[in-house]
Amino acid sequence: MSDKARLTTHKLFLLPDYEKEGEYLTKMHSVGWKLEKVCAFSQHFVKCEPENVIYKLDYVANSTDYPEYIKMYADYGWEHCGRVAGFDYFRRSADGISEKEMDIFSDPQSKLAMMKRVIITRMTPLLIIFFLMIIPNLFLFVMNYPRFGTAGVLIALVYLILFVEYVSIFIYCIRGFIKLKNKYKE
């Protein structure tokens, strides 16, 4: 085990927050915390000297040429530092590079294409689960709760909470994607 200081943060970044997550990681590195590993809702850092490093995220669904994808970024100076749920995390020194080189996307259309991949591969399955499981079961238990007794009321409450959470996440993601789409079209 290394004797370096470590820090774990627990920050929730939803799908349209990928730019904010990159900014957060960049800020952490600038104050001396280098990303070591990333998990679903946590970021693991190791103490380092503060550096001017930029972090960016890209999303690819399952790619058959994944090693070539990582090598392509390495050829442009980006170090791969993690992968979670299809999002790949890259970093590179921001010293002496142009503003254009600070982004992993060559143009706004590339960013929009990435967002489309996220919507198709991440949001579509959530919508299917929502319409095929959450709504029918919520309806079933709410309409028939007297037959199920106390357990039915508790199960209906669980489905109601899931319904509210799903709707909240969908609204947040849709608003975020619209905001990003408008930003990239400018």
Side-chain angles (χ1 to χ4, degrees):
M1 186 101 191
S2 174
D3 60 348
K4 287 191 172 187
R6 298 192 181 311
L7 172 70
T8 298
T9 60
H10 303 282
K11 297 225 177 246
L12 175 64
F13 294 99
L14 295 178
L15 298 173
D17 298 331
Y18 76 94
E19 286 182 336
K20 291 177 186 173
E21 188 170 3
E23 291 166 5
Y24 169 72
L25 298 172
T26 297
K27 180 181 175 195
M28 291 298 289
H29 204 122
S30 73
V31 295
W33 292 104
K34 179 180 180 177
L35 181 67
E36 181 178 45
K37 180 175 92 172
V38 64
C39 299
F41 304 112
S42 61
Q43 303 78 26
H44 303 270
F45 299 94
V46 63
K47 189 72 175 153
C48 68
E49 290 296 318
E51 298 174 286
N52 187 15
V53 172
I54 190 160
Y55 285 79
K56 294 290 181 175
L57 282 71
D58 189 14
Y59 179 84
V60 291
N62 300 323
S63 174
T64 56
D65 59 348
Y66 189 72
E68 290 178 29
Y69 164 77
I70 298 300
K71 185 181 178 325
M72 177 192 67
Y73 279 103
D75 290 345
Y76 285 98
W78 292 94
E79 174 190 358
H80 186 258
C81 48
R83 179 175 175 87
V84 173
F87 279 94
D88 286 285
Y89 293 69
F90 296 95
R91 72 173 155 239
R92 78 177 290 180
S93 173
D95 292 332
I97 63 172
S98 69
E99 188 74 29
K100 185 175 181 175
E101 292 173 304
M102 288 188 184
D103 201 347
I104 59 175
F105 297 102
S106 59
D107 55 25
Q109 291 77 22
S110 299
K111 290 180 183 182
L112 291 170
M114 188 223 24
M115 285 177 30
K116 184 177 180 180
R117 288 190 306 272
V118 170
I119 290 169
I120 290 169
T121 61
R122 292 289 178 230
M123 294 297 290
T124 303
L126 291 176
L127 282 169
I128 291 169
I129 291 169
F130 182 71
F131 284 112
L132 294 180
M133 292 184 68
I134 306 295
I135 290 178
N137 283 309
L138 175 62
F139 182 76
L140 172 75
F141 281 102
V142 167
M143 297 306 290
N144 297 303
Y145 77 89
R147 265 195 296 166
F148 298 112
T150 305
V153 172
L154 293 176
I155 293 171
L157 185 60
V158 167
Y159 278 109
L160 182 60
I161 291 168
L162 285 172
F163 176 81
V164 170
E165 284 295 317
Y166 261 74
V167 170
S168 299
I169 290 170
F170 288 144
I171 290 170
Y172 180 83
C173 288
I174 289 168
R175 288 179 66 207
F177 283 130
I178 290 170
K179 193 181 295 185
L180 286 171
K181 185 177 179 182
N182 291 336
K183 176 182 171 183
Y184 297 151
K185 283 189 174 183
E186 292 175 355

